[in-house]
Amino acid sequence: ARRSGWGVSGMAGGGREARLSQELAVSFALLNLALAVDKADQAMLPAVYYELCAEFGLGPAALGSVTLCRGLAQAIAALGSSALASHVGRVRGVGIGCLTWGIATVAVGLSPSASWLFAARTLSGAALGITIPLIWSIAADLFNPLDRGRAFGILFCSNNTGGMLGSLTAINFAKYSPLDVDGWRVA
């Protein structure tokens, strides 16, 4: 049987073929979701820079440094993602990265000070540095070489759509204060 990224062909027994195809679809949907949320997360903070300046008394250079720290942490952590994957497996590595990323995201929203914001965004970058390379690696293994380009294109589209929706959401939430909580913290 030849496993195609968009289904399994050449297998006897339609039940197994349908199950493998369904597992592939669920896995691919989760990878798309993770990449969309990644880019949304990246886009949200710059979209609310004005509110962060007002909240913490930071200037544009300091806010740029927050993004720089996140990017550096992500780049450095990406170097170690393969080592983590060799010890715990790629899927578990993505899980660890996503859990850490979620905790860091909540910490950003709860930030009482600029230093807390820097630390939380740096942790977020490190978590994404672990997660993103493993996601692309898993995606490469899910699809045969003939289907891989299309799969990567869909993943890339999801990633950028997430960035667009993240900016749009953050900009719209930033101007409201639901339950006396600053809108940027909710976004």
mmCIF file of all heavy atoms in Angstrom, residues 105-127:
data_model
loop_
_atom_site.group_PDB
_atom_site.id
_atom_site.type_symbol
_atom_site.label_atom_id
_atom_site.label_comp_id
_atom_site.label_asym_id
_atom_site.label_seq_id
_atom_site.Cartn_x
_atom_site.Cartn_y
_atom_site.Cartn_z
ATOM 1 N N THR A 105 1.566 32.654 27.462
ATOM 2 C CA THR A 105 0.559 33.573 26.936
ATOM 3 C C THR A 105 -0.330 34.105 28.048
ATOM 4 O O THR A 105 -0.651 35.300 28.104
ATOM 5 C CB THR A 105 -0.279 32.881 25.843
ATOM 6 O OG1 THR A 105 0.604 32.469 24.801
ATOM 7 C CG2 THR A 105 -1.332 33.806 25.282
ATOM 8 N N VAL A 106 -0.735 33.232 28.967
ATOM 9 C CA VAL A 106 -1.524 33.668 30.121
ATOM 10 C C VAL A 106 -0.697 34.633 30.970
ATOM 11 O O VAL A 106 -1.201 35.654 31.448
ATOM 12 C CB VAL A 106 -2.012 32.459 30.950
ATOM 13 C CG1 VAL A 106 -2.613 32.903 32.276
ATOM 14 C CG2 VAL A 106 -3.018 31.647 30.156
ATOM 15 N N ALA A 107 0.591 34.341 31.139
ATOM 16 C CA ALA A 107 1.470 35.213 31.923
ATOM 17 C C ALA A 107 1.586 36.594 31.283
ATOM 18 O O ALA A 107 1.664 37.602 32.000
ATOM 19 C CB ALA A 107 2.848 34.577 32.075
ATOM 20 N N VAL A 108 1.583 36.665 29.952
ATOM 21 C CA VAL A 108 1.606 37.971 29.274
ATOM 22 C C VAL A 108 0.351 38.757 29.651
ATOM 23 O O VAL A 108 0.423 39.937 29.998
ATOM 24 C CB VAL A 108 1.711 37.810 27.737
ATOM 25 C CG1 VAL A 108 1.424 39.126 27.028
ATOM 26 C CG2 VAL A 108 3.086 37.306 27.345
ATOM 27 N N GLY A 109 -0.797 38.115 29.584
ATOM 28 C CA GLY A 109 -2.044 38.788 29.919
ATOM 29 C C GLY A 109 -2.128 39.226 31.367
ATOM 30 O O GLY A 109 -2.806 40.202 31.693
ATOM 31 N N LEU A 110 -1.438 38.522 32.253
ATOM 32 C CA LEU A 110 -1.453 38.853 33.680
ATOM 33 C C LEU A 110 -0.297 39.767 34.093
ATOM 34 O O LEU A 110 -0.168 40.084 35.285
ATOM 35 C CB LEU A 110 -1.391 37.562 34.515
ATOM 36 C CG LEU A 110 -2.562 36.602 34.361
ATOM 37 C CD1 LEU A 110 -2.292 35.321 35.136
ATOM 38 C CD2 LEU A 110 -3.857 37.255 34.812
ATOM 39 N N SER A 111 0.522 40.169 33.155
ATOM 40 C CA SER A 111 1.732 40.947 33.451
ATOM 41 C C SER A 111 1.455 42.191 34.287
ATOM 42 O O SER A 111 0.760 43.098 33.840
ATOM 43 C CB SER A 111 2.419 41.389 32.151
ATOM 44 O OG SER A 111 2.874 40.291 31.426
ATOM 45 N N PRO A 112 2.028 42.260 35.503
ATOM 46 C CA PRO A 112 1.861 43.459 36.322
ATOM 47 C C PRO A 112 2.927 44.520 36.043
ATOM 48 O O PRO A 112 2.810 45.646 36.496
ATOM 49 C CB PRO A 112 1.998 42.923 37.750
ATOM 50 C CG PRO A 112 2.925 41.760 37.603
ATOM 51 C CD PRO A 112 2.637 41.166 36.252
ATOM 52 N N SER A 113 3.978 44.116 35.302
ATOM 53 C CA SER A 113 5.076 45.050 35.044
ATOM 54 C C SER A 113 5.719 44.741 33.700
ATOM 55 O O SER A 113 5.506 43.678 33.111
ATOM 56 C CB SER A 113 6.138 44.928 36.150
ATOM 57 O OG SER A 113 6.758 43.654 36.083
ATOM 58 N N ALA A 114 6.538 45.674 33.249
ATOM 59 C CA ALA A 114 7.236 45.498 31.982
ATOM 60 C C ALA A 114 8.213 44.324 32.051
ATOM 61 O O ALA A 114 8.352 43.579 31.080
ATOM 62 C CB ALA A 114 7.966 46.782 31.600
ATOM 63 N N SER A 115 8.888 44.144 33.189
ATOM 64 C CA SER A 115 9.846 43.033 33.290
ATOM 65 C C SER A 115 9.129 41.690 33.212
ATOM 66 O O SER A 115 9.635 40.745 32.619
ATOM 67 C CB SER A 115 10.673 43.141 34.569
ATOM 68 O OG SER A 115 9.843 43.134 35.703
ATOM 69 N N TRP A 116 7.939 41.598 33.779
ATOM 70 C CA TRP A 116 7.133 40.383 33.695
ATOM 71 C C TRP A 116 6.758 40.136 32.234
ATOM 72 O O TRP A 116 6.813 39.000 31.758
ATOM 73 C CB TRP A 116 5.897 40.542 34.571
ATOM 74 C CG TRP A 116 4.972 39.368 34.628
ATOM 75 C CD1 TRP A 116 4.298 38.825 33.581
ATOM 76 C CD2 TRP A 116 4.613 38.602 35.762
ATOM 77 N NE1 TRP A 116 3.524 37.770 33.990
ATOM 78 C CE2 TRP A 116 3.700 37.621 35.336
ATOM 79 C CE3 TRP A 116 4.941 38.676 37.104
ATOM 80 C CZ2 TRP A 116 3.133 36.707 36.203
ATOM 81 C CZ3 TRP A 116 4.371 37.755 37.957
ATOM 82 C CH2 TRP A 116 3.481 36.782 37.517
ATOM 83 N N LEU A 117 6.369 41.200 31.537
ATOM 84 C CA LEU A 117 6.016 41.103 30.122
ATOM 85 C C LEU A 117 7.205 40.585 29.309
ATOM 86 O O LEU A 117 7.054 39.682 28.487
ATOM 87 C CB LEU A 117 5.557 42.469 29.598
ATOM 88 C CG LEU A 117 5.192 42.536 28.126
ATOM 89 C CD1 LEU A 117 3.895 41.797 27.852
ATOM 90 C CD2 LEU A 117 5.070 44.005 27.697
ATOM 91 N N PHE A 118 8.402 41.137 29.558
ATOM 92 C CA PHE A 118 9.612 40.677 28.863
ATOM 93 C C PHE A 118 9.846 39.191 29.122
ATOM 94 O O PHE A 118 10.109 38.428 28.187
ATOM 95 C CB PHE A 118 10.844 41.465 29.353
ATOM 96 C CG PHE A 118 11.108 42.723 28.598
ATOM 97 C CD1 PHE A 118 10.442 43.893 28.910
ATOM 98 C CD2 PHE A 118 12.044 42.748 27.579
ATOM 99 C CE1 PHE A 118 10.688 45.060 28.232
ATOM 100 C CE2 PHE A 118 12.304 43.920 26.891
ATOM 101 C CZ PHE A 118 11.622 45.086 27.214
ATOM 102 N N ALA A 119 9.766 38.786 30.387
ATOM 103 C CA ALA A 119 10.023 37.385 30.747
ATOM 104 C C ALA A 119 9.000 36.450 30.107
ATOM 105 O O ALA A 119 9.359 35.396 29.562
ATOM 106 C CB ALA A 119 10.024 37.223 32.265
ATOM 107 N N ALA A 120 7.728 36.834 30.141
ATOM 108 C CA ALA A 120 6.683 35.978 29.579
ATOM 109 C C ALA A 120 6.812 35.857 28.065
ATOM 110 O O ALA A 120 6.645 34.766 27.507
ATOM 111 C CB ALA A 120 5.307 36.524 29.958
ATOM 112 N N ARG A 121 7.126 36.953 27.393
ATOM 113 C CA ARG A 121 7.294 36.892 25.934
ATOM 114 C C ARG A 121 8.554 36.102 25.564
ATOM 115 O O ARG A 121 8.572 35.412 24.542
ATOM 116 C CB ARG A 121 7.347 38.292 25.322
ATOM 117 C CG ARG A 121 6.011 38.979 25.292
ATOM 118 C CD ARG A 121 4.957 38.228 24.533
ATOM 119 N NE ARG A 121 5.088 38.408 23.106
ATOM 120 C CZ ARG A 121 4.276 37.882 22.203
ATOM 121 N NH1 ARG A 121 3.265 37.141 22.573
ATOM 122 N NH2 ARG A 121 4.471 38.088 20.924
ATOM 123 N N THR A 122 9.576 36.179 26.380
ATOM 124 C CA THR A 122 10.783 35.392 26.128
ATOM 125 C C THR A 122 10.479 33.899 26.290
ATOM 126 O O THR A 122 10.898 33.080 25.466
ATOM 127 C CB THR A 122 11.920 35.832 27.067
ATOM 128 O OG1 THR A 122 12.175 37.226 26.843
ATOM 129 C CG2 THR A 122 13.190 35.045 26.813
ATOM 130 N N LEU A 123 9.738 33.541 27.331
ATOM 131 C CA LEU A 123 9.332 32.150 27.515
ATOM 132 C C LEU A 123 8.457 31.687 26.354
ATOM 133 O O LEU A 123 8.604 30.569 25.854
ATOM 134 C CB LEU A 123 8.590 31.983 28.843
ATOM 135 C CG LEU A 123 8.071 30.583 29.152
ATOM 136 C CD1 LEU A 123 9.211 29.574 29.237
ATOM 137 C CD2 LEU A 123 7.270 30.595 30.450
ATOM 138 N N SER A 124 7.566 32.544 25.905
ATOM 139 C CA SER A 124 6.713 32.220 24.758
ATOM 140 C C SER A 124 7.567 31.934 23.528
ATOM 141 O O SER A 124 7.320 30.968 22.798
ATOM 142 C CB SER A 124 5.766 33.393 24.483
ATOM 143 O OG SER A 124 5.041 33.192 23.298
ATOM 144 N N GLY A 125 8.577 32.751 23.299
ATOM 145 C CA GLY A 125 9.467 32.530 22.156
ATOM 146 C C GLY A 125 10.210 31.209 22.249
ATOM 147 O O GLY A 125 10.338 30.481 21.267
ATOM 148 N N ALA A 126 10.691 30.886 23.448
ATOM 149 C CA ALA A 126 11.399 29.613 23.636
ATOM 150 C C ALA A 126 10.467 28.432 23.374
ATOM 151 O O ALA A 126 10.854 27.452 22.714
ATOM 152 C CB ALA A 126 11.978 29.541 25.042
ATOM 153 N N ALA A 127 9.241 28.531 23.856
ATOM 154 C CA ALA A 127 8.279 27.444 23.636
ATOM 155 C C ALA A 127 7.983 27.273 22.144
ATOM 156 O O ALA A 127 7.902 26.150 21.644
ATOM 157 C CB ALA A 127 6.994 27.732 24.403
#
